[in-house]
Amino acid sequence: MATVNDVVVKIATVNGTGSASANGLLMKSIFRMGIPVVGKNYFPSNIQGLPTWYEIRVTGDGYQSRSDRVDIMVAMNAQTYARDLADVSSGGWLLYDSTWPRHKQLDRDDVTVLGVPLSRMCNENFDGARARILMKNIAYVGVVAALLDIDLDIITTLLEETFADKKHLVDSNMKAIRLGYDYARENFVCPLACKVEAMDGTSGHIVIDGNTAAGLGCMYAGATVGAWYPITPSTSLMDAFRSFCSRYRTDPKTGERTYCIIQAEDELAAIGMVLGAAWNGARSFTPTSGPGISLMSEFIGFAYYAEIPAVIFNVQRTGPSTGMPTRTQQSDILSCAYASHGDTRHVLLFPKDPKECFEMAQSAFDYAERLQTPVIVMSDLDIGMNDWMVPDFEFDENVVRDRGKVLSAEQLEEMEKFYRYMDVDGDGIPYRTLPGVHPKGSYFTRGSGHTRHGAYTEDSAAYQDVVDRLLVKWETARQTLPEAEFEVSRFNKAGLLTIGSGDGACVEARDRLAAQKINLDYCRVRAFPFSDAVKEFIDQHEVVYVVEQNRDAQLRSLLLLDAGVDPAKLVPLLHYNGMPLNAGFVVDRVLEEVARGRAA
Amino acid sequence: MSYIGKPKVAHPKMPKNDLGLTARDYEGTVSTLCAGCGHDSVTAAIVQAVFELNIEPHMLAKMSGIGCSSKTPAYFVSGAHGFNSVHGRMPSVTTGANAANRSLMYIGVSGDGDSLSIGAGQFVHAIRRNLNMCYIIENNGVYGLTKGQFSASADIGSKPKKGEPNQQEPIDPVSTALSLGATYIARSFSGDKEQLVPLIQGALLHEGFSLVDVISPCVTFNDHEGSTKSYAHTRQFYHHVVDADFVPPAEEIKAAYAKGSAMPVELHDGSKIVLRKVDEQYDPTSRASAFKYLRERFNAGEITTGLLYMDESRQEMHDLMGNTRTPMCQLPLESLNPGAGELKKILNRYR
Ligand SMILES: Cc1ncc(C[n+]2csc(CCOP(=O)(O)OP(=O)(O)O)c2C)c(N)n1
Ligand code: SF4
Ligand SMILES: [Mg+2]
């Protein structure tokens, strides 16, 4: 079937061979042609020598999730050849390096195999072992460009931008690309039946990963203290913050920095540093992943009870334990919502893509300071480390950020006496002071039992007074946090509900189901505690399919616990194999449920 | 036990410091520790040290972990801000607090359990960063608050109240700090206020990490015969090797020192510490010789005390990073982003 701007190219390589830049080049060139793209990187927890895949989905319709098919497989890794061939959708193509013979017995008669002697061409044209390997990977870009009809001028421009003042690198890369391009044009019918065509679908958009976006957001939020311990897939968040700060937060004359990044000895220390800094009034944050959250739990509970703002980015990966560090999941929902011993609960934000990572990186500090409590931004590997095409970020310089209830020296001067944990305004949020501001502001911060006046206590009533007031604050949080996104029609009996990176697949699944006359309403939750509107959405439908990326239906459990909805209504749709969610999974599962007689 | 306010009636004749405050003004709530606990004497020494240094109470941050020792920040300088964190994690909280506001003075109080077991990692790394703080370990060889288990500072052969003597090597905070490059290292005894007060004062004013390891007997669980952290044992075996006199910024060194033994060191604020060598052979500016000396005396069963090592030349955490002198928490938020126009330019890199 001939298609335009609807094709999936999957590239199988070995990590550490420079394929990442080749794949990025391919994706960017399609984006520059004005065609929406999705890029997904499936990489091993390893530095060099293991299989890695990159999937480029060209989607003229602008869908955001990965596809469930592979039209063109670029099989550059002999180790995975068999499974790569098996992955190709019927009617698709497989491209391989024909310098060496391949297993003929693996042939599929529904897949067209295209052999290009990439190694031989590169060996003849380039010197040095390393250069030959790198160029072989660049050469397949040329083959794919010819097969799909990607504009070579755009590729040249991109190379020129990348290697700004290294013309020889532009030339050698272009030479390799041309080798592949010309070979394909001479030996195959180019372009293939599925090809790309310039369109106007990307203006006002960028291609960026969520960690870079969050790091940028932290810089724009005015964060000054960042403490962290490296862990995949969160590491690049602090890398991004550091690189933006070194550019924009370093005095050009004196070299003085207005940011302080501390690589902590472990996550226990990282969160301790965040609390110390926040207690002193700095916007401070830590990026981490599941294992880090486990280590931070004691302090997260401390921050809840002593009421200290803290911003934590949990870029979730596949658990339990070390799990699969380079695969994605949404499996820390419960452990974050209730991190720590005792009665604790924490504010969670669920960004759906890098744009929301940028926005929520900023609002997370506002909520943390307003609510005087930890706020955990629940990103995941799919959002954090993959390139997403998203609308341009916006920043309104006139917006005054919310620093919460912090008493100034003047306010303290006027006061008779300051008490730390009094609910003066009835919203459950007390006033706080910052050390060093005014003698009347001093108080003793503790995680042990305390009264509303901030004094140590073991008195039942005085203890209970404070923990009950924290529940009032929780209700304030419910009213304050970002509202969910809804798409509701009066006629639908069933709804789809998801969070974060589940959005793209759900949006696409709704379209595909609608084409089969199955119409579902939609709710994308953006924060915990859940708003009243989320509860109403569930109450108003007969069935709500809860789509999430973990085995134990953690979001569903949280909805039952916090929103008090009818369990019979919530049908779990669970995807937890470590790969990003795709629409096909959602469609199939909904159809199964409908076939069993559930409402649609 | 609940919060007991202490009436602050100062006798009119009580001496006042430069801020017009009396020592009373530097006290805290009434201690709830056991009568005779060494920690209470350390609290008293801190009160005197801070009073004499004319520190504005609200410019002092009192940091601690968990333990009997870690409770004590409630018992001194109630006008200061306190942060009683979680067990073993005071160093990280202080690191973050200092990262945000370098203009405050930080005093951390910890125990041997808090610092040498659960918190050993954080203790070590605060030293490595040369965090600008005064770090006091109230060292009693046991976990007081959990009723007397041995801590990692218990000496070989030290006897518990019940059970077998300790057989494991002790972790000595002083030689640990020395090997890690701490820039101010002192040891003292809770029962020797005269020695302790100037050591704390120097530690507070030293720019960088200052450790004051104070042998502070636990009368309830580790003060019996056969314990090496008892009052009796400490009194018998402790030796001053280098004493320190603290001289405030504007003052002259008045005391007459024996020739060759006095060594004045100027601190960053212009005040001076005069090191008085009791033992002529000791060199408190050489890590190698200090280490050798300490090990030798330790093997001989002696407890070496005084200002054991000092290095005023090393930069503290912020200066090592090249950070602004303005406390991070005082930078206006608006000044911390390059604006909407620059965002557009940044985004162009992602097209
Ligand atoms: C995570 C954690 N584990 C265990 C405890 C129990 N605990 C409280 S204090 C303490 C030991 C304190 O010993 P040390 O620091 O030497 O203080 P001391 O009481 O001797 O002054 C322990 C184990 C705790 N509070 N937190
Ligand atoms: S148990 Fe020991 S350390 Fe704790 S207060 Fe009593 S004497 Fe002091
Ligand atoms: Mg102890």
Side-chain angles (χ1 to χ4, degrees):
Chain A
M1 198 179 66
T3 63
V4 173
N5 294 342
D6 181 14
V7 58
V8 180
V9 183
K10 189 166 177 178
I11 302 144
T13 52
V14 173
N15 76 330
T17 57
S19 53
S21 39
N23 301 335
L25 184 63
L26 257 182
M27 175 168 173
K28 263 288 173 65
S29 59
I30 296 167
F31 172 77
R32 285 276 177 100
M33 289 175 74
I35 315 163
V37 272
V38 174
K40 300 283 181 211
N41 192 8
Y42 309 122
F43 59 103
S45 179
N46 174 271
I47 304 302
Q48 205 177 51
L50 286 187
T52 178
W53 292 267
Y54 194 75
E55 201 176 274
I56 298 170
R57 176 183 185 192
V58 181
T59 158
D61 295 328
Y63 286 125
Q64 283 283 20
S65 65
R66 90 180 161 99
S67 169
D68 34 16
R69 28 170 254 264
V70 176
D71 300 310
I72 304 176
M73 175 68 77
V74 182
M76 299 296 288
N77 184 357
Q79 277 177 67
T80 59
Y81 184 84
R83 84 186 242 208
D84 292 337
L85 178 62
D87 252 13
V88 184
S89 302
S90 192
W93 293 265
L94 176 131
L95 178 75
Y96 81 107
D97 185 351
S98 60
T99 309
W100 294 285
R102 74 203 159 87
H103 306 285
K104 282 271 192 286
Q105 70 270 30
L106 292 171
D107 267 358
R108 277 176 58 184
D109 44 21
D110 60 339
V111 170
T112 312
V113 173
L114 308 171
V116 183
L118 291 164
S119 298
R120 185 170 55 74
M121 292 194 305
C122 290
N123 291 350
E124 286 165 7
N125 284 278
F126 296 99
D127 295 324
R130 180 80 189 147
R132 285 169 173 172
I133 293 177
L134 292 177
M135 288 308 159
K136 186 180 74 171
N137 280 339
I138 291 294
Y140 70 67
V141 173
V143 180
V144 175
L147 295 176
L148 294 182
D149 208 11
I150 296 172
D151 190 340
L152 272 197
D153 289 344
I154 288 181
I155 296 187
T156 315
T157 311
L158 280 166
L159 285 171
E160 282 166 356
E161 290 170 16
T162 313
F163 304 117
D165 41 329
K166 296 182 190 119
K167 181 148 184 338
H168 66 284
L169 286 179
V170 179
D171 293 345
S172 57
N173 277 276
M174 267 323 283
K175 184 172 150 188
I177 287 169
R178 278 237 82 109
L179 286 173
Y181 190 82
D182 293 344
Y183 186 94
R185 307 264 299 194
E186 279 158 29
N187 295 281
F188 314 130
V189 181
C190 290
L192 301 176
C194 58
K195 59 168 198 152
V196 301
E197 219 172 77
M199 62 181 275
D200 183 17
T202 62
S203 62
H205 284 69
I206 53 171
V207 172
I208 196 167
D209 64 80
N211 285 350
T212 303
L216 184 62
C218 288
M219 200 255 297
Y220 269 86
T224 48
V225 177
W228 68 305
Y229 187 79
I231 183 168
T232 304
S234 72
T235 303
S236 55
L237 198 161
M238 194 56 99
D239 290 345
F241 181 70
R242 185 191 304 277
S243 94
F244 290 121
C245 285
S246 75
R247 169 78 178 75
Y248 295 107
R249 293 277 200 82
T250 309
D251 188 300
K253 287 200 207 83
T254 61
E256 268 184 10
R257 299 174 177 188
T258 54
Y259 65 99
C260 183
I261 297 173
I262 308 175
Q263 186 180 319
E265 50 272 33
D266 52 34
E267 286 87 348
L268 291 95
I271 186 70
M273 290 170 192
V274 169
L275 297 195
W279 175 73
N280 256 339
R283 290 195 146 186
S284 58
F285 70 99
T286 183
T288 190
S289 192
I293 294 289
S294 295
L295 289 189
M296 290 178 187
S297 291
E298 187 183 15
F299 257 137
I300 295 176
F302 181 98
Y304 169 80
Y305 189 35
E307 301 182 61
I308 299 175
V311 173
I312 301 164
F313 293 88
N314 180 7
V315 188
Q316 297 165 92
R317 62 190 217 182
T318 302
S321 189
T322 303
M324 298 196 284
T326 59
R327 298 285 182 259
T328 197
Q329 239 174 21
Q330 298 172 316
S331 49
D332 302 337
I333 301 171
L334 286 174
S335 73
C336 285
Y338 299 111
S340 209
H341 53 277
D343 288 324
T344 64
R345 36 176 99 171
H346 311 293
V347 171
L348 310 180
L349 298 177
F350 303 107
K352 70 164 181 171
D353 65 10
K355 185 170 162 74
E356 280 196 346
C357 285
F358 176 73
E359 292 164 357
M360 287 180 175
Q362 296 167 74
S363 59
F365 289 98
D366 296 358
Y367 296 128
E369 291 189 325
R370 163 66 31 193
L371 299 166
Q372 298 178 22
T373 202
V375 171
I376 310 178
V377 184
M378 303 290 282
S379 178
D380 61 32
L381 182 140
D382 183 19
I383 301 174
M385 290 188 71
N386 280 319
D387 285 330
W388 293 59
M389 184 184 119
V390 289
D392 282 4
F393 301 164
E394 280 141 34
F395 181 75
D396 185 348
E397 291 173 5
N398 299 315
V399 169
V400 180
R401 305 234 67 107
D402 188 357
R403 302 302 309 265
K405 299 183 187 180
V406 180
L407 294 172
S408 66
E410 296 71 35
Q411 286 170 309
L412 281 163
E413 182 60 41
E414 309 251 296
M415 285 175 91
E416 179 87 24
K417 195 149 172 39
F418 161 70
Y419 292 115
R420 175 65 178 93
Y421 297 113
M422 297 275 271
D423 185 8
V424 179
D425 302 328
D427 57 1
I429 307 172
Y431 283 80
R432 70 178 185 130
T433 56
L434 302 179
V437 168
H438 192 280
K440 282 193 202 165
S442 299
Y443 71 98
F444 200 83
T445 302
R446 43 164 69 85
S448 42
H450 46 266
T451 67
R452 56 168 68 186
H453 300 116
Y456 180 82
T457 192
E458 289 176 13
D459 178 86
S460 303
Y463 158 81
Q464 216 167 310
D465 174 55
V466 172
V467 291
D468 286 343
R469 196 253 310 147
L470 286 169
L471 287 180
V472 177
K473 179 158 93 172
W474 188 248
E475 292 311 308
T476 301
R478 194 187 299 287
Q479 309 304 324
T480 309
L481 296 170
E483 184 54 274
E485 251 178 23
F486 297 100
E487 274 189 55
V488 181
S489 120
R490 271 189 307 130
F491 313 106
N492 296 334
K493 293 192 191 111
L496 208 55
L497 182 152
T498 196
I499 47 165
S501 63
D503 180 66
C506 285
V507 167
E508 189 176 344
R510 282 181 74 227
D511 287 356
R512 287 206 216 165
L513 287 164
Q516 302 186 42
K517 300 267 178 309
I518 296 176
N519 294 303
L520 300 177
D521 284 344
Y522 187 48
C523 168
R524 180 177 65 90
V525 172
R526 300 207 298 161
F528 172 73
F530 304 118
S531 68
D532 297 336
V534 170
K535 178 174 160 49
E536 276 160 33
F537 177 87
I538 296 168
D539 289 346
Q540 281 162 9
H541 290 87
E542 274 176 34
V543 170
V544 173
Y545 298 104
V546 182
V547 182
E548 52 183 312
Q549 299 171 56
N550 59 71
R551 186 194 66 185
D552 290 348
Q554 299 188 21
L555 174 63
R556 181 179 178 275
S557 296
L558 203 56
L559 285 163
L560 298 180
L561 284 165
D562 184 71
V565 290
D566 176 4
K569 287 186 173 189
L570 300 184
V571 179
L573 259 62
L574 307 171
H575 185 275
Y576 50 91
N577 63 10
M579 300 302 263
L581 188 64
N582 62 48
F585 171 83
V586 180
V587 170
D588 292 350
R589 283 288 292 111
V590 170
L591 291 177
E592 264 175 47
E593 293 295 335
V594 172
R596 279 193 208 143
R598 270 214 225 272
Chain B
M1 195 64 220
S2 65
Y3 178 96
I4 308 168
K6 204 190 275 185
K8 289 228 166 100
V9 254
H11 194 275
K13 290 232 180 80
M14 269 190 96
K16 293 194 165 137
N17 66 9
D18 291 356
L19 301 172
L21 301 174
T22 68
R24 269 285 151 79
D25 296 312
Y26 288 88
E27 288 174 355
T29 56
V30 173
S31 168
T32 59
L33 304 185
C34 308
C37 174
H39 302 349
D40 279 335
S41 310
V42 184
T43 297
I46 294 171
V47 168
Q48 189 182 331
V50 177
F51 162 72
E52 288 177 4
L53 287 182
N54 302 303
I55 292 168
E56 285 183 89
H58 75 288
M59 295 305 284
L60 180 71
K62 309 174 293 184
M63 318 299 286
S64 66
I66 296 289
C68 295
S69 36
S70 294
K71 286 182 178 187
T72 63
Y75 313 143
F76 61 83
V77 201
S78 49
H81 282 260
F83 197 128
N84 181 210
S85 69
V86 296
H87 197 17
R89 317 292 171 210
M90 174 274 280
S92 64
V93 178
T94 312
T95 306
N98 193 316
N101 190 350
R102 62 188 296 181
S103 70
L104 300 178
M105 192 173 264
Y106 293 91
I107 185 165
V109 181
S110 181
D112 41 328
D114 200 57
S115 282
L116 304 179
S117 287
I118 192 167
Q122 298 212 344
F123 171 61
V124 161
H125 286 272
I127 295 178
R128 182 167 172 259
R129 293 186 185 98
N130 203 17
L131 179 66
N132 188 11
M133 72 173 299
C134 164
Y135 194 117
I136 297 178
I137 298 182
E138 298 182 347
N139 191 342
N140 54 16
V142 287
Y143 294 177
L145 195 57
T146 50
K147 299 189 181 271
Q149 303 82 1
F150 273 132
S151 81
S153 75
D155 295 303
I156 291 179
S158 189
K159 292 196 184 76
K161 270 183 122 169
K162 284 183 262 178
E164 302 288 305
N166 172 53
Q167 296 302 345
Q168 296 175 39
E169 270 295 325
I171 298 177
D172 169 26
V174 165
S175 31
T176 304
L178 200 56
S179 76
L180 292 166
T183 48
Y184 181 110
I185 306 170
R187 177 153 49 213
S188 188
F189 171 39
S190 63
D192 190 353
K193 199 172 179 185
E194 210 175 310
Q195 183 194 42
L196 182 55
V197 170
L199 289 178
I200 294 173
Q201 290 174 328
L204 282 165
L205 293 182
H206 168 72
E207 220 172 69
F209 190 90
S210 314
L211 172 72
V212 186
D213 175 33
V214 189
I215 310 297
S216 175
C218 169
V219 287
T220 307
F221 299 110
N222 205 13
D223 196 33
H224 47 272
E225 174 126 26
S227 156
T228 58
K229 293 276 192 295
S230 65
Y231 279 109
H233 184 94
T234 311
R235 286 216 175 89
Q236 187 179 349
F237 292 100
Y238 98 125
H239 284 264
H240 288 213
V241 292
V242 200
D243 277 337
D245 293 338
F246 180 77
V247 186
E251 282 179 31
E252 297 283 309
I253 297 173
K254 290 195 203 98
Y257 294 105
K259 207 161 164 272
S261 74
M263 213 174 103
V265 181
E266 186 159 326
L267 301 176
H268 288 259
D269 71 332
S271 52
K272 288 172 214 71
I273 285 269
V274 182
L275 301 174
R276 268 186 289 119
K277 290 203 266 180
V278 177
D279 187 328
E280 288 278 340
Q281 291 164 12
Y282 194 81
D283 181 1
T285 61
S286 157
R287 258 163 96 177
S289 81
F291 198 81
K292 184 163 176 281
Y293 185 96
L294 286 168
R295 288 316 297 177
E296 280 169 9
R297 303 323 301 155
F298 175 80
N299 290 339
E302 278 180 22
I303 304 163
T304 312
T305 65
L307 182 40
L308 303 170
Y309 180 74
M310 206 176 168
D311 177 1
E312 280 301 278
S313 70
R314 287 241 340 266
Q315 287 184 308
E316 56 81 69
M317 181 181 79
H318 283 282
D319 292 340
L320 282 170
M321 291 195 228
N323 293 343
T324 172
R325 304 253 11 133
T326 314
M328 297 278 170
C329 64
Q330 288 167 20
L331 297 165
L333 271 201
E334 317 77 71
S335 73
L336 295 174
N337 74 74
E342 199 60 39
L343 179 64
K344 286 228 160 63
K345 286 192 208 152
I346 294 173
L347 296 187
N348 282 335
R349 286 196 249 150
Y350 300 93
R351 288 190 210 282

